[in-house]
Amino acid sequence: MTSVPTTPIGSPPADGPSSQERPARRPSRAGRPWPGVLASMAGTFMAIMDVNIVLIAAPAIQEDLHASDAQLQFVLAGYQLIYAVLLVTGGRLGDLHGRKKIFLLGMGLFTLASLACGLAPTAPALIGARLFQGAGAALMFPQVYAIVRVLLDEERRARAFAVLGAVVSLSTVTGQVAGGLLVEADLFGTSWRPVFWINVPIGLAAMLLTAVLLPESRAPRARRLDLPGALALMVTLFLLIVPLVEGRELGWPWWTWCSLAASVPALAGFLAVERRVARSGRPPLFDAALLRLPTLRTGTVLVLFYYAALNSFFLILSLLLQNGLGLPAYQAGLVYTPLAVTMFAASLVGGRLTPRLGRRVMETGGIALTAGSAATVAVALLCGAGMPLWALILCLAFQGIGHGLLQPPLIGAILAPVDDDNAGLASGVLSTAQQVGGALGLAILGVVFYGALGGAVAGATGAYTHGFGVASIVTTVLLAAATFLVFLLPYARPGADTRPAAAQGKRGQEGV
């Protein structure tokens, strides 16, 4: 039997709403919110496509801008770092000022930053533009989960999360294939730059559709922002991630170790700030009461491990295919295609099976994903420079099945017990775990991969295959840990109401 708090998380004290809180009209679920919800999913499509499309373009970016290995990692990890820092704040802003309004603001910033990325003349300029792009994604992305959670009833919400999973898979396919084709096409001699410019027409169309079709929604009890908490979180993440990205290339100078050591008390300081904010009666950036929900507590760690493995693996795979095996960008993108196709197909199948089988679908996906990753390690390390490409593609296709079964229902299952007042905050917490995991994974696997590479130059197939295999061991361990945590998620009966008891009236919540 799994229990949750009987008072909605984040509800006002017993003596009534605080002076910072004001009522807001709750959006009606009786209308036709589907067109607007689907339009908002363009934000998810763009944010995930952008990550995958840049992974494919990474070698071309490095060559054209003469970027160092650390600068290339920052093109990817910098985006995820600022994304992670601002996600919880982005979720809270949506709760406070309206999710549609903040979504449009984020989409506008993301679109402008994409234009700037494509115009960047140097690697530092590209990194700077990517930081603004990450800020736009942080405002935009958590609103999508909250919009689905708040605007749709239980039945339509399950279908929406299944559609959202298919969007994730489709954006992965599009990013990997389109990235390779755009780089290879070298439109008007612009090389990799169109991989960012493609976001501009998509962003403008999504803004127009969302503005017209999406109803506004906000938390009934709006809360003030926790700026001290946001600053403390930013300092903590910078202290942790910057030395991991820069350390190997600089020879691990003393400041990198000091920075890593300082991240521990900085994290403690962040938690202390949040406790002080909560005691003062103001809403903290991160409400520790959310962790009383076992699904969210376990799910946050699970998401951290899963996304630490996901994006970092795709980076080292792109480097192997293009720098190690010498494939042109479009062929590297095509190597990804079987993985993306099986992921898309499995997400559709999983969407149909999840209402009947519940967590079992995610368990199966986690096992398949871990097994596929372990097979990839074996193929890379045993075959070495003679690794057959078809064997790698088969391993990737099997991983795609695991991703498709695990990823789409995961966020919906974790968010199910969260009340509407905290939908944006909880979405921000999970999205932050995604991006912190992604940034940490890029930093850690970068250290392992480049360390195993041993300074080998492009074209050294054996060295790149070995480095890929060694780094993939770390990926496999992370995926195994995530799969283990899937089995620890509370197993609710398919179709059961998993909201907090206060939101269900006297029915409470039952687990099986």
Side-chain angles (χ1 to χ4, degrees):
M1 182 76 71
T2 301
S3 62
V4 295
T6 55
T7 301
I9 295 170
S11 57
D15 57 350
S18 66
S19 59
Q20 289 83 22
E21 294 177 338
R22 55 182 172 78
R25 186 171 60 87
R26 181 187 179 92
S28 173
R29 293 179 178 172
R32 297 183 178 275
W34 264 110
V37 170
L38 292 176
S40 73
M41 289 184 185
T44 302
F45 180 88
M46 287 179 65
I48 295 175
M49 182 187 73
D50 192 74
V51 172
N52 288 282
I53 207 170
V54 175
L55 286 170
I56 287 291
I61 292 172
Q62 185 172 28
E63 180 181 0
D64 185 53
L65 298 182
H66 307 290
S68 67
D69 292 338
Q71 286 176 325
L72 179 63
Q73 286 179 267
F74 265 121
V75 169
L76 300 166
Y79 169 87
Q80 292 188 299
L81 177 61
I82 200 69
Y83 193 178
V85 167
L86 296 178
L87 267 167
V88 176
T89 299
R92 178 60 79 199
L93 282 170
D95 291 341
L96 178 65
H97 295 293
R99 298 173 182 114
K100 174 181 177 178
K101 183 184 299 182
I102 300 302
F103 176 88
L104 290 172
L105 176 63
M107 179 68 80
L109 180 58
F110 187 92
T111 303
L112 287 175
S114 297
L115 180 62
C117 286
L119 295 172
T122 64
L126 177 58
I127 292 170
R130 288 281 284 170
L131 295 180
F132 281 100
Q133 198 181 33
L139 294 175
M140 172 177 64
F141 197 82
Q143 313 311 327
V144 180
Y145 288 128
I147 285 167
V148 171
R149 177 68 180 79
V150 171
L151 291 185
L152 301 178
D153 58 31
E154 192 75 23
E155 180 182 353
R156 289 187 292 179
R157 191 184 308 149
R159 292 202 301 270
F161 277 121
V163 172
L164 190 56
V167 169
V168 169
S169 301
L170 182 61
S171 63
T172 303
V173 176
T174 304
Q176 291 159 353
V177 177
L181 292 175
L182 287 172
V183 171
E184 190 66 22
D186 191 21
L187 299 173
F188 309 107
T190 55
S191 183
W192 51 271
R193 299 178 187 277
V195 305
F196 293 106
W197 290 335
I198 194 175
N199 290 329
V200 176
I202 297 175
L204 293 175
M207 289 175 67
L208 177 62
L209 290 173
T210 305
V212 173
L213 299 175
L214 184 68
E216 184 59 281
S217 67
R218 57 172 59 88
R221 289 174 290 275
R223 302 175 177 92
R224 242 179 16 181
L225 283 179
D226 172 22
L227 295 180
L231 180 61
L233 178 60
M234 182 181 297
V235 170
T236 301
L237 293 176
F238 270 98
L239 287 172
L240 178 62
I241 292 175
V242 170
L244 288 175
V245 173
E246 289 279 8
R248 184 201 60 84
E249 187 164 301
L250 297 178
W252 297 103
W254 63 269
W255 67 264
T256 59
W257 297 107
C258 292
S259 180
L260 286 170
S263 67
V264 177
L267 176 60
F270 166 69
L271 296 175
V273 167
E274 296 304 274
R275 285 194 296 269
R276 188 178 303 113
V277 169
R279 284 197 300 268
S280 71
R282 294 181 289 115
L285 179 71
F286 174 70
D287 189 348
L290 283 171
L291 296 183
R292 293 205 301 267
L293 293 167
T295 302
L296 192 64
R297 184 171 61 245
T298 303
T300 300
V301 181
L302 191 166
V303 164
L304 189 74
F305 285 151
Y306 176 68
Y307 282 89
L310 185 64
N311 292 343
S312 53
F313 175 77
F314 288 148
L315 173 62
I316 62 174
L317 178 59
S318 293
L319 293 172
L320 168 71
L321 295 173
Q322 296 182 60
N323 291 353
L325 303 183
L327 298 181
Y330 81 95
Q331 289 185 7
L334 292 176
V335 169
Y336 279 91
T337 303
L339 179 151
V341 170
T342 56
M343 180 178 175
F344 181 69
S347 70
L348 295 178
V349 173
R352 291 181 176 273
L353 294 178
T354 298
R356 288 188 285 128
L357 301 179
R359 194 189 67 192
R360 303 303 182 210
V361 174
M362 293 187 291
E363 293 171 354
T364 304
I367 293 171
L369 182 54
T370 305
S373 182
T376 304
V377 172
V379 167
L381 295 183
L382 294 178
C383 297
M387 180 184 66
L389 195 57
W390 64 263
L392 176 61
I393 290 173
L394 282 179
C395 294
L396 295 176
F398 197 71
Q399 287 190 47
I401 294 173
H403 283 301
L405 294 176
L406 173 61
Q407 191 180 89
L410 182 61
I411 301 300
I414 297 171
L415 285 179
V418 180
D419 61 273
D420 290 354
D421 285 356
N422 286 276
L425 175 59
S427 300
V429 169
L430 287 181
S431 298
T432 299
Q434 290 177 350
Q435 302 311 315
V436 170
L440 284 175
L442 285 167
I444 294 170
L445 253 75
V447 170
V448 174
F449 175 74
Y450 287 114
L453 203 58
V457 298
T461 304
Y464 270 86
T465 304
H466 174 73
F468 172 75
V470 171
S472 295
I473 294 174
V474 179
T475 302
T476 304
V477 171
L478 290 169
L479 292 174
T483 300
F484 173 75
L485 291 174
V486 169
F487 281 84
L488 297 184
L489 287 175
Y491 180 65
R493 289 193 304 268
D497 192 346
T498 55
R499 294 173 299 159
Q504 302 175 38
K506 298 181 180 181
R507 291 175 56 191
Q509 180 199 28
E510 292 184 356
V512 175

